[in-house]
Amino acid sequence: MPPTNPARRRALTDAAIALLASSGVHGLTHRAVEKEADLPPGTASNYFRDRETLLVAAAERVVELHHTDTDRATDQATEPTERPATLDDLLTESLLTAATTLRDRYLAIFELQLESVRRPALASALAGLGDAAVRITAGQHDKLGLTLPRETIPALIALYGGALFTLVTAPPETVDRNVVQTLVRTILNGCASQEENPEATRI
């Protein structure tokens, strides 16, 4: 059995995510992960028997981090503020944070998603990102009192993902709030029903 030190395992998987962002999937090796995590040679092999196991562990860690941040963002959005939040505001903040503060994580996710086309075990690990997306998004909208039609949520998620890929792979200096908000407003105009004004979807 592999060692059961959770902190060391997290250090290795976090290092793997950083390497995926900086060097791509082909730069991810046990030795590179050990060096990135500043751990002795052989440590990664003790936890992850082969490269696919390492990739799957990185994917599982990404899913864990994603859901933790999603829950935190929802909790913050429901806190009392001077001005009610709109769906425009929430998506703009989410995309801007993902494309700037969390850029490396989402570069890693895209690397893993491409590799998962050829690796069923990796695809299964990443399914946690997609399978729960509709349920979590719908739940968040309910918490926030948003009125976007439920049947449009899968399309909203798909368009959000496309916008995120565009922003994350663009030169960082070209990504700012105005660029992100323009994308968000275009997404909402396409997703909202004809009679609904996205600016009116307030808490």
Side-chain angles (χ1 to χ4, degrees), residues 92-114:
T92 297
E93 192 61 36
S94 174
L95 268 178
L96 185 61
T97 299
T100 55
T101 305
L102 302 178
R103 183 172 184 266
D104 282 0
R105 184 190 304 172
Y106 286 97
L107 281 172
I109 287 174
F110 291 131
E111 287 281 343
L112 289 167
Q113 286 176 327
L114 288 170

Side-chain angles (χ1 to χ4, degrees), residues 51-74:
R51 191 163 176 274
E52 180 164 89
T53 306
L54 178 57
L55 285 166
V56 168
E60 290 170 346
R61 176 64 171 155
V62 157
V63 171
E64 176 191 350
L65 291 168
H66 175 76
H67 289 327
T68 298
D69 284 347
T70 298
D71 291 343
R72 183 184 300 116
T74 301

Side-chain angles (χ1 to χ4, degrees), residues 12 29-31 33-34 40-49 54:
L12 289 166
T29 65
H30 287 75
R31 186 66 196 104
V33 166
E34 291 158 355
T43 305
S45 296
N46 288 337
Y47 283 82
F48 314 111
R49 66 181 180 276
L54 178 57

Side-chain angles (χ1 to χ4, degrees), residues 149-195:
R150 188 65 58 97
E151 65 272 15
T152 67
I153 288 177
L156 176 62
I157 291 169
L159 292 169
Y160 180 100
L164 181 56
F165 181 86
T166 298
L167 293 168
V168 166
T169 57
E173 66 273 13
T174 67
V175 178
D176 59 29
R177 185 173 295 277
N178 288 335
V179 169
V180 174
Q181 192 159 58
T182 297
L183 283 171
V184 166
R185 288 177 176 171
T186 302
I187 289 171
L188 291 179
N189 288 335
C191 287
S193 62
Q194 292 295 319
E195 67 273 14

